[in-house]
Amino acid sequence: MAADDHAARKHGRRTVASALLEMCTALRTADAAPPGAVAMTGPDPAERIRRLISAPPAVPGRLSRALTGTAAAVVLAWPVLVAVAPAVLLGNPAHLPGAG
């Protein structure tokens, strides 16, 4: 399947799937492989074709990674902020008795 992926990057997913389909039909209609044909080994050709014509897996981009990192930082920092907030508020002189 790595060869399929390499060919798909170079020629397009649908082009490679179409070529696989043509090879399968040529091998079924002929008694022997046509001259110059390469043997198809590995997973079922139908599965290879289905995998090529299905949507490619999503690769997270920079923005997605940045948002995930920011969300993780907020989740990790939240307990500390909640624990420190009362001390910060009480440390403000405006809240002390007799201030003002």
Side-chain angles (χ1 to χ4, degrees):
M1 293 212 187
D4 292 346
D5 292 337
H6 180 73
R9 280 192 297 274
K10 188 171 183 178
H11 301 287
R13 298 172 72 81
R14 294 220 180 251
T15 303
V16 176
S18 176
L20 284 170
L21 184 60
E22 294 230 4
M23 286 177 60
C24 290
T25 55
L27 293 175
R28 286 196 178 116
T29 58
D31 291 335
V38 179
M40 288 180 47
T41 61
D44 179 31
E47 177 59 35
R48 291 169 64 187
I49 293 169
R50 269 195 293 286
R51 191 178 73 80
L52 283 166
I53 61 174
S54 67
V59 177
R62 279 189 209 160
L63 178 61
S64 176
R65 288 192 300 265
L67 289 175
T68 302
T70 303
V74 168
V75 167
L76 293 173
W78 187 253
V80 174
L81 292 173
V82 169
V84 172
V88 170
L89 292 175
L90 290 175
N92 188 349
H95 295 293
L96 294 176

